Amino acid sequence: MSLLKSYLIFVAIYCTSFASYSQLRASHINSQERLNQLISQDSIYEVTLLLNADLAHAQYHHLPSSLAYTNQALGTVFSGIESHETAAKYYTRAFEIYDSLNKFNEVDNVLTHLARSYVDGKNYEKFDSLIPIALDYSKRLYTINLFYNLESEVRKNYFIKDYDDALQNSDKALEQLNNYDFISEHDKAEKKRWEAAFGYYKAVALINLGQSEQGYKVLFDIDSEQFHVKDKEHLFPLSQISTFNFYKFKYYKEYTDQLDLANRYLLKSDSLKFLAVKSLQKKISENGDLIYKIINKEKELQLAHSKRNEGRLLYNAFLIATIVLSLILIGAGIFFYYYYNNRKHIKAINLRLKESNKKLKRIDKERLEFFSILSHELRTPIYGINGLTTLIEQEQSPEKRKGYLNALITSSNYISVLIDNVLQISKLKFENKTLHLKPTNFSQFIKNTTTSIKISANQKGLELYTNIEKTICNEFLLVDKVVLSQILINLTYNAIKYTSKGFVSLNVTEKQRTDSHVKLLFEIKDSGIGIQNKNRDIIFNAFENTTFLEKNSSGSGLGLYIVKTLLKSYNAQIEFTSKPNEGSNFFFEINFEIAELPKSNGQLTPTALDTPSKILIVDDNHINLLVTQKNVEKIPGYFCETATRGKEAICLVKEKDFDMVLMDINMPDMDGYEATKHIRLFNPNIPVLALTALNSVEVQNKAKACGMNYVITKPYEFEVFKSVILKYSHVIQDN
């Protein structure tokens, strides 16, 4: 309790220093009174709450100096209760603020405390990074913190038993102690303690390095009383003072054979180990001493007045007994009160820790199960792809080769959807999804979306029906095609996954119409296994529907979670009806804005080009290079050249006349961003389109910053790829 109270008093000093500032004077008067009350109660929890209130006050009023002081005070509180990691966090914040304010003396103090926290917390990696900086500050400012930092460094050497460095650093510290001018009485007392402490570390290092004679000489020159400074408790760890006496025991036993002296120091060493336990009885012992003095004083009075009045002596004896009993009862009451409260508090903390531990174990188990499922889901189609490529190569029958090829496309599409879902999970957690609405022929969009899904349905022998109400067949609506297609693909794939025979259908019907909007009902029905009522609440939760999956499928369990999350961007909710072994019906409603009809609904027809368009494709992956080359050559009037390095691409653009560059981003010698910057130095007008598998806001921003015109994300649909190429080639298209 006394050690804790010394730390709380330190915090009070900090808060008092805040009150000296005019801008904080009014707000901290009540805070100071409350803090003094809590210090008297040894309530570290309440003190921490109060300091955090001061922290919030300083942040709200933009008072950086006060903010730094409060952080340092919190660091000292947590250091006092040996929560060194938390203490280091607050010290680091204080350091950053002081450093930004160029308050070098305060930086010096905070770095010294931070270094000690890292040593006490056994975080030697961070300590090794920090101690050169802390030493540099204290040397440049020539402050007494130099010796606190040297002590931290030697203690670290001592703890990890690096006796060579411990010896070297102790000698350096002792030499600098003799050269430093200690002025105040406190500093002079600290010097004596440091002389004893560094001498101790030097002696231990010498003995453990085999230089016992010199080591014991240094050891016996140390005055152990200097390990403490007046008004400070346990400044030098009791375990090390115990070790100090243990080495004396070894000396007298092994070198002088003085067993009496040896046993005396051994007993002293052992006694120190139990000193911490005895300190708990200190207060009771002090009360006992007080009672003993009162009884002795009464005996003296009895001897002095024994001949005067025997009745008076009996009365005094009764009074003393009453006082003693009252003190004992009060002491016992206080003891049991604090004992009960502490037990109650500890039980509450343990209960919260157990609940937290259970939750963490459950989350860890669920994530392990998810990644196990994901690993299986990836390996299965990859195994199929490897086998199908071999079968296609060996098969002579065109019909069978086509069947194998369709199966190959299905496996590829499945992997693409699975990876998109996993990536989408992280994007949905960290990005606010906004819709990118474009005029879209709705029936054509539904047809394009279900084309790839139909192959998966055919592979399982299922009928895939698409029913769109006639009133909206040729409707043009403002749609985010990426978001809506992902919703429909996930729901339809999910239906196919849980249906072994029968059908899967996608139905779109009109529910309500105004002059500017139309509300559509989407229904995805199947004749699959259905969903039991007990699983209704978990199937939309990522990482929590593994019980349902284990019994019914090997899927990743992400599709429905993504559907539910993406529908929020449309302000829509998904619902479903289901009967076990009969099938399910998932449905939702979206209110679309009606787009203006294009001037012409004919097919897109690019005008004839005067000269063929020449495109440079840059990609270090030869397979990707071949695929892109074939896709470009499928567009009438286009041909291409290729490059596999960024520097090679720069040279080709300089030497030849290209109409466009398709640039990969991740390349070994020079990435696509850097290559584009070089191209823009001599050719600012040529369209440069990024062609990459990366898909994030960061990629879009970096591409724009380096001068790229557009980002095409792989994999892509050929028609989308073609339209982008035509757009940036300035080919005029009729709508």
Side-chain angles (χ1 to χ4, degrees):
M1 282 295 183
S2 58
L3 181 59
L4 176 59
K5 182 169 287 188
S6 66
Y7 274 98
L8 295 177
I9 292 171
F10 172 82
V11 175
I13 294 171
Y14 265 106
C15 289
T16 304
S17 68
F18 296 164
S20 65
Y21 289 90
S22 59
Q23 58 188 346
L24 285 175
R25 185 180 302 275
S27 62
H28 279 277
I29 292 175
N30 294 333
S31 175
Q32 181 62 35
E33 293 176 355
R34 176 61 177 153
L35 187 63
N36 290 333
Q37 179 184 357
L38 294 173
I39 290 171
S40 66
Q41 298 173 357
D42 287 336
S43 179
I44 186 64
Y45 176 72
E46 295 294 339
V47 168
T48 306
L49 288 181
L50 189 57
L51 284 174
N52 275 288
D54 290 340
L55 196 69
H57 176 83
Q59 288 173 335
Y60 181 79
H61 292 284
H62 304 291
L63 306 173
S65 295
S66 301
L67 191 62
Y69 284 135
T70 309
N71 274 292
Q72 187 173 358
L74 281 166
T76 304
V77 169
F78 284 103
S79 179
I81 60 174
E82 298 186 1
S83 182
H84 302 297
E85 183 177 350
T86 305
K89 178 182 70 173
Y90 286 109
Y91 283 140
T92 301
R93 292 177 183 172
F95 159 72
E96 290 171 350
I97 300 171
Y98 282 137
D99 189 48
S100 68
L101 297 174
N102 293 324
K103 292 193 173 185
F104 302 114
N105 287 321
E106 286 80 356
V107 169
D108 179 36
N109 287 330
V110 172
L111 288 178
T112 300
H113 287 299
L114 184 57
R116 175 58 65 94
S117 293
Y118 285 149
V119 171
D120 291 342
K122 303 296 186 290
N123 194 339
Y124 300 132
E125 182 178 354
K126 288 188 176 180
F127 174 80
D128 290 338
S129 300
L130 178 71
I131 193 61
I133 302 172
L135 284 169
D136 180 64
Y137 262 94
S138 54
K139 287 177 182 176
R140 283 194 287 111
L141 298 176
Y142 201 60
T143 65
I144 198 171
N145 286 329
L146 170 64
F147 301 103
Y148 288 114
N149 288 323
L150 287 172
E151 184 178 17
S152 294
E153 190 170 31
V154 175
R155 287 181 70 222
K156 179 251 182 175
N157 299 143
Y158 174 85
F159 289 149
I160 66 174
K161 299 183 180 180
D162 185 356
Y163 296 116
D164 287 321
D165 285 348
L167 177 59
Q168 181 181 350
N169 291 325
S170 296
D171 283 335
K172 179 169 65 175
L174 289 168
E175 180 182 352
Q176 296 196 37
L177 278 172
N178 294 327
N179 298 328
Y180 190 86
D181 187 15
F182 293 88
I183 299 174
S184 69
E185 292 300 321
H186 171 270
D187 291 351
K188 290 178 181 178
E190 282 287 83
K191 178 183 178 182
K192 292 181 180 180
R193 184 187 68 80
W194 276 321
E195 287 175 344
F198 289 126
Y200 164 80
Y201 291 122
K202 178 178 179 178
V204 172
L206 286 169
I207 294 170
N208 283 276
L209 290 172
Q211 303 176 45
S212 299
E213 183 177 350
Q214 184 180 355
Y216 281 116
K217 183 179 183 306
V218 174
L219 187 75
F220 278 93
D221 287 340
I222 297 172
D223 181 4
S224 62
E225 294 299 321
Q226 298 302 326
F227 284 147
H228 300 275
V229 174
K230 187 178 180 181
D231 297 330
K232 291 191 177 181
E233 297 185 354
H234 309 320
L235 197 58
F236 203 71
L238 289 177
S239 60
Q240 295 175 32
I241 301 176
S242 174
T243 305
F244 174 80
N245 286 281
F246 181 76
Y247 277 112
K248 286 189 176 182
F249 154 72
K250 288 185 63 178
Y251 174 80
Y252 285 116
K253 179 182 178 182
E254 298 176 3
Y255 289 89
T256 64
D257 199 26
Q258 299 181 55
L259 296 182
D260 289 342
L261 275 174
N263 289 333
R264 184 188 307 168
Y265 281 106
L266 179 61
L267 179 62
K268 190 173 183 179
S269 175
D270 290 339
S271 299
L272 287 169
K273 293 180 182 178
F274 296 98
L275 188 59
V277 178
K278 291 181 180 179
S279 65
L280 296 175
Q281 302 172 348
K282 182 179 179 181
K283 197 166 187 178
I284 298 175
S285 175
E286 290 174 349
N287 289 338
D289 291 339
L290 179 61
I291 295 170
Y292 178 76
K293 289 178 182 179
I294 294 172
I295 294 174
N296 280 344
K297 187 65 177 177
E298 182 58 28
K299 287 182 178 179
E300 292 176 4
L301 292 173
Q302 286 178 348
L303 291 173
H305 301 285
S306 58
K307 296 179 181 180
R308 294 181 182 179
N309 193 333
E310 184 175 343
R312 181 62 179 261
L313 291 176
L314 291 174
Y315 172 78
N316 288 339
F318 175 77
L319 181 61
I320 292 172
T322 303
I323 294 172
V324 170
L325 181 60
S326 298
L327 289 173
I328 292 174
L329 291 174
I330 291 171
I334 293 172
F335 172 79
F336 283 112
Y337 173 77
Y338 281 106
Y339 175 79
Y340 173 78
N341 279 350
N342 287 337
R343 284 291 300 273
K344 185 178 179 181
H345 185 59
I346 290 171
K347 285 182 179 179
I349 292 174
N350 287 336
L351 183 61
R352 289 197 296 269
L353 288 174
K354 287 180 180 179
E355 292 299 322
S356 177
N357 190 41
K358 287 180 182 178
K359 185 177 180 180
L360 289 173
K361 285 182 177 180
R362 185 174 68 254
I363 292 173
D364 185 56
K365 180 182 178 182
E366 289 169 353
R367 291 188 181 276
L368 287 175
E369 290 174 350
F370 164 71
F371 283 112
S372 175
I373 292 170
L374 181 61
S375 175
H376 175 269
E377 286 295 288
L378 284 172
R379 290 176 183 274
T380 300
I382 289 173
Y383 172 79
I385 288 172
N386 290 337
L388 287 168
T389 53
T390 303
L391 292 175
I392 291 171
E393 181 181 14
Q394 296 173 352
E395 184 59 54
Q396 300 299 322
S397 170
E399 293 183 358
K400 290 185 178 181
R401 286 169 66 95
K402 183 177 180 180
Y404 293 150
L405 185 60
N406 287 337
L408 185 64
I409 293 172
T410 300
S411 296
S412 176
N413 289 339
Y414 180 81
I415 291 178
S416 179
V417 171
L418 179 63
I419 293 175
D420 281 346
N421 283 347
V422 173
L423 295 177
Q424 189 74 337
I425 285 292
S426 62
K427 289 177 66 178
L428 292 175
K429 284 180 180 289
F430 300 109
E431 296 181 7
N432 292 323
K433 185 66 180 174
T434 56
L435 296 174
H436 301 283
L437 303 174
K438 294 181 180 180
T440 304
N441 185 317
F442 193 76
S443 59
Q444 186 63 41
F445 163 73
I446 296 295
K447 180 180 178 182
N448 293 339
T449 302
T450 56
T451 298
S452 60
I453 304 173
K454 192 171 184 62
I455 298 175
S456 298
N458 292 340
Q459 288 295 117
K460 292 190 69 173
L462 302 175
E463 291 291 338
L464 178 62
Y465 302 109
T466 304
N467 303 311
I468 305 176
E469 193 167 332
K470 291 182 179 180
T471 57
I472 56 174
C473 277
N474 296 317
E475 194 89 61
F476 275 79
L477 306 176
L478 291 180
V479 177
D480 186 324
K481 293 193 288 186
V482 174
V483 171
L484 187 57
S485 64
Q486 193 163 22
I487 292 171
L488 296 177
I489 287 172
N490 272 300
L491 285 173
T492 313
Y493 263 124
N494 210 58
I496 293 172
K497 184 193 307 180
Y498 293 109
T499 304
S500 57
K501 61 180 180 178
F503 72 93
V504 173
S505 67
L506 169 60
N507 305 317
V508 185
T509 55
E510 180 181 319
K511 296 295 290 182
Q512 185 179 346
R513 179 182 290 270
T514 64
D515 292 338
S516 60
H517 289 77
V518 58
K519 181 180 288 187
L520 301 182
L521 170 65
F522 295 82
E523 295 180 290
I524 293 83
K525 298 181 179 180
D526 64 66
S527 58
I529 62 173
I531 301 169
Q532 296 182 2
N533 286 332
K534 65 179 182 180
N535 294 320
R536 291 185 67 90
D537 295 333
I538 65 170
I539 62 170
F540 290 105
N541 299 336
F543 310 117
E544 294 183 18
N545 50 16
T546 51
T547 303
F548 177 72
L549 291 172
E550 286 173 1
K551 297 180 180 180
N552 302 290
S553 173
S554 59
S556 62
L558 299 178
L560 291 178
Y561 170 77
I562 291 172
V563 168
K564 181 179 179 181
T565 307
L566 289 177
L567 278 173
K568 291 179 182 178
S569 59
Y570 272 109
N571 294 320
Q573 293 183 344
I574 187 165
E575 300 179 27
F576 71 94
T577 59
S578 181
K579 291 184 178 180
N581 302 319
E582 293 185 19
S584 302
N585 178 22
F586 286 81
F587 55 93
F588 58 90
E589 293 181 355
I590 295 179
N591 195 21
F592 294 99
E593 184 177 353
I594 301 172
E596 293 184 5
L597 291 175
K599 295 179 181 179
S600 172
N601 57 2
Q603 295 183 347
L604 298 177
T605 55
T607 59
L609 298 172
D610 295 335
T611 58
S613 290
K614 186 177 181 180
I615 295 179
L616 175 63
I617 305 172
V618 188
D619 200 318
D620 64 318
N621 185 294
H622 292 285
I623 295 177
N624 291 345
L625 200 64
L626 177 62
V627 171
T628 306
Q629 183 179 359
K630 294 299 182 183
N631 284 336
V632 169
E633 291 173 351
K634 285 165 63 176
I635 304 174
Y638 287 81
F639 68 99
C640 55
E641 289 190 23
T642 61
T644 58
R645 294 291 187 271
K647 293 179 181 178
E648 180 186 357
I650 295 169
C651 294
L652 286 173
V653 174
K654 282 184 178 180
E655 295 172 359
K656 300 182 180 182
D657 186 18
F658 290 99
D659 298 296
M660 182 183 298
V661 178
L662 296 179
M663 180 74 71
D664 187 24
I665 289 180
N666 289 334
M667 293 184 289
D669 63 335
M670 178 187 291
D671 64 29
Y673 302 127
E674 195 66 28
T676 302
K677 289 179 183 178
H678 282 79
I679 291 173
R680 287 295 179 230
L681 293 176
F682 60 86
N683 193 336
N685 298 320
I686 185 172
V688 179
L689 312 184
L691 191 61
T692 176
L694 302 173
N695 183 18
S696 68
V697 174
E698 182 183 1
V699 171
Q700 299 282 347
N701 293 337
K702 291 178 70 176
K704 183 178 180 181
C706 74
M708 291 181 174
N709 300 87
Y710 191 78
V711 177
I712 302 175
T713 304
K714 298 181 290 189
Y716 51 80
E717 294 182 8
F718 172 73
E719 291 301 326
V720 175
F721 173 79
K722 177 181 176 182
S723 66
V724 173
I725 298 297
L726 293 176
K727 174 183 176 182
Y728 284 94
S729 297
H730 304 288
V731 177
I732 301 174
Q733 298 180 359
D734 296 324
N735 289 329

